[in-house]
Amino acid sequence: MGENPFNLKAILSYMRSRIQAERAKEGHALAPLYLCKHTTQFRCFLHIFLTKQRPLTEERKEKTMASEKVETVVAGNYVEMEPEEGDSKSTKSKLSNLFWHGGSVYDAWFSCASNQVAQVLLTLPYSFSQLGMLSGILFQLFYGLMGSWTAYLISVLYVEYRTRKEREKVDFRNHVIQWFEVLDGLLGKHWRNIGLLFNCTFLLFGSVIQLIACASNIYYINDNLDKRTWTYIFGACCATTVFIPSFHNYRIWSFLGLVMTTYTAWYLTIASLIHGQTEGVKHSGPTTIVLYFTGATNILYTFGGHAVTVEIMHAMWKPQKFKLIYLIATLYVLTLTLPSASAVYWAFGDLLLTHANALSLLPRTRFRDAAVILMLIHQFITFGFACTPLYFVWEKLLRVHNTKSMFKRAMARLPVVIPIWFLAIIFPFFGPINSTVGSLLVSFTVYIIPAMAHMVTFSSPSARENAVDRPPSFLGGWAGSFSLNMFVVGWVLVVGFGFGGWASMLNFIRQINTFGLFTKCYQCPPHKA
């Protein structure tokens, strides 16, 4: 090994020769050798001595050697993909990475926070008028924590699934893992089918809600066209999201979306406080049990935006770092939703019962117009967030998911937008539709199914023993985790789906009876000549 036994080059050279001798002797291929680069060599060599892998065929060798744009890093118990830090990057490439290619912890946080609040920010004062101030605040805190817990469960199941598949040498480099595939891999096809049904239906109506919100908001700037016509226009605009490849490419959009939502939230708060209470304002809520549970399920919907958790995690370079991201995002969102909803309800009280969009009660100023425009842009972004998983499912169905041509994928995605467009025109009930979707779809998609899936996946002692990610000790380990999961399932099943479904459906049917399907202008004031 030379005179200096601590010389790194000599050590690496010696280890290489030993590995080559071992390969020649036993005919085994140690794949990490081909992926060792620069500062990661020593870590890779350690991995080589700890891991014995199957023989390397010429085909696998060529495939491995060809992957020059990525560096494989052993992270936890599964393999993660990181972009290689090249020395000679062009300015164009650097700008592209800065604005377009996101996969860091910060990108995930921006995506979670931006996607969670969106248009529902404008309907939370409406929910406060149904619930009352105290119940509105308590439900936000309660469902915020519950949503963070189930998002954590989804992240645990994703890591468990991916770890098992990585051990089987499955390559996800050109494949986006989705929630229904996690359920399929861990629990079988019946769970996959249930998860696929609820997740796709929820995301479909989530996209519908964003489209309805676009038409509702723009009307307060330009009422020359009715809301249905605006829905046609924004449906065409939102269809352009088919050209955004994946959640990797929402880096700048997520950041801007959160900035826009933050502005709107604080505009609602400050404008309401400056406006003061309207003459004879009343705060009667809650007045009926139907309105009470309708408002509660809208808040359930608010903090149920983690139906895209798996796709956001898969876009990360190191998904194992996701654990607390959704909780931190929720805490930030609460700093926006609590002040804005409380201030608007304080100022306008029961008037909100007939004005689901909080912007409709504030006087028109340049600040309100700015809030409307920013929310329109943000709703376009959120439409993409909700629709992108649907695009992936449709691509897999048509077997074009792995194609390198983005144009072919975009053309294949277009039919997904058509039913969304159509449903937004049929049910333009901005506000009540949130509660209906929350009770019937969100309750199962992001609360009940993840909690039950976690319990079933780790029901056996061997599964718990070999789990990649164990429950936090401060929650009581596995026993505490299972108890919390059972509470989530019971509460959401009875209160969210049961009472919430009953109340929101009654309210939704009332809207249909009052305004009718395909109504041209839902809750529009009389048009001034």
Side-chain angles (χ1 to χ4, degrees), residues 447-448 451-452 455 484-494:
Y447 293 100
I448 295 174
M452 291 184 67
M455 289 191 288
L484 192 53
N485 288 343
M486 290 175 67
F487 171 78
V488 169
V489 172
W491 177 275
V492 176
L493 193 61
V494 175

Side-chain angles (χ1 to χ4, degrees), residues 54-92:
R54 60 183 176 176
L56 184 69
T57 64
E58 286 301 316
E59 182 181 351
R60 288 181 61 227
K61 180 177 178 181
E62 288 176 7
K63 182 178 179 181
T64 306
M65 294 291 286
S67 57
E68 296 177 354
K69 292 185 178 180
V70 292
E71 174 185 319
T72 301
V73 179
V74 178
N77 291 329
Y78 62 100
V79 179
E80 293 305 337
M81 305 307 296
E82 283 193 348
E84 185 181 3
E85 296 295 332
D87 295 327
S88 56
K89 283 187 175 180
S90 65
T91 304
K92 183 179 178 181

Side-chain angles (χ1 to χ4, degrees), residues 12-51:
L12 295 179
S13 176
Y14 172 74
M15 293 178 78
R16 273 199 199 91
S17 64
R18 289 295 302 271
I19 290 167
Q20 290 169 357
E22 184 71 16
R23 289 180 60 218
K25 179 181 177 183
E26 299 185 14
H28 281 76
L30 302 172
L33 175 64
Y34 294 99
L35 297 170
C36 292
K37 293 184 180 180
H38 310 302
T39 59
T40 61
Q41 281 185 325
F42 188 67
R43 180 168 48 183
C44 292
F45 281 125
L46 289 178
H47 179 61
I48 288 167
F49 280 105
L50 293 173
T51 309

Side-chain angles (χ1 to χ4, degrees), residues 106-167:
Y106 302 103
D107 291 312
W109 182 83
F110 280 120
S111 294
C112 289
S114 177
N115 181 55
Q116 187 176 149
V117 65
Q119 54 74 38
V120 80
L121 181 72
L122 306 177
T123 64
L124 283 174
Y126 168 67
S127 296
F128 269 48
S129 69
Q130 297 169 321
L131 289 165
M133 183 75 79
L134 180 61
S135 291
I137 293 172
L138 292 177
F139 268 116
Q140 280 204 43
L141 295 172
F142 176 67
Y143 282 132
L145 290 174
M146 186 181 288
S148 299
W149 170 250
T150 52
Y152 165 76
L153 297 179
I154 293 172
S155 72
V156 168
L157 292 172
Y158 168 85
V159 170
E160 186 70 27
Y161 167 77
R162 182 160 179 178
T163 301
R164 294 183 186 183
K165 291 299 179 181
E166 292 283 3
R167 287 169 180 167

Side-chain angles (χ1 to χ4, degrees), residues 377 383 529:
I377 300 171
F383 181 94

Side-chain angles (χ1 to χ4, degrees), residues 221-370:
I221 288 182
N222 186 338
D223 60 0
N224 292 325
L225 299 176
D226 57 71
K227 292 182 181 180
R228 188 168 68 188
T229 304
W230 281 120
T231 303
Y232 291 137
I233 295 170
F234 278 99
C237 294
C238 289
T240 58
T241 56
V242 298
F243 291 100
I244 301 178
S246 73
F247 284 94
H248 271 300
N249 310 111
Y250 275 95
R251 164 171 276 186
I252 188 65
W253 295 114
S254 297
F255 172 75
L256 292 176
L258 192 57
V259 171
M260 295 167 187
T261 309
T262 301
Y263 170 86
T264 304
W266 286 108
Y267 160 74
L268 290 173
T269 304
I270 296 170
S272 297
L273 294 175
I274 292 174
H275 180 277
Q277 292 185 313
T278 57
E279 186 176 352
V281 65
K282 292 181 180 180
H283 299 88
S284 306
T287 54
T288 67
I289 193 169
V290 172
L291 289 178
Y292 187 82
F293 283 108
T294 301
T297 50
N298 185 40
I299 296 179
L300 180 78
Y301 169 83
T302 302
F303 295 98
H306 45 289
V308 296
T309 297
V310 170
E311 287 83 1
I312 291 175
M313 286 187 70
H314 193 79
M316 293 178 67
W317 297 320
K318 296 182 179 179
Q320 76 276 15
K321 293 187 175 182
F322 184 85
K323 295 178 188 176
L324 295 177
I325 287 176
Y326 195 86
L327 174 61
I328 298 170
T330 298
L331 294 176
Y332 179 78
V333 166
L334 286 170
T335 67
L336 305 180
T337 58
L338 286 173
S340 59
S342 302
V344 176
Y345 179 55
W346 169 82
F348 299 102
D350 292 350
L351 282 174
L352 287 159
L353 289 170
T354 54
H355 295 79
N357 191 329
L359 292 172
S360 64
L361 289 172
L362 289 165
R364 182 172 181 179
T365 63
R366 64 180 184 275
F367 298 108
R368 195 193 76 161
D369 287 354

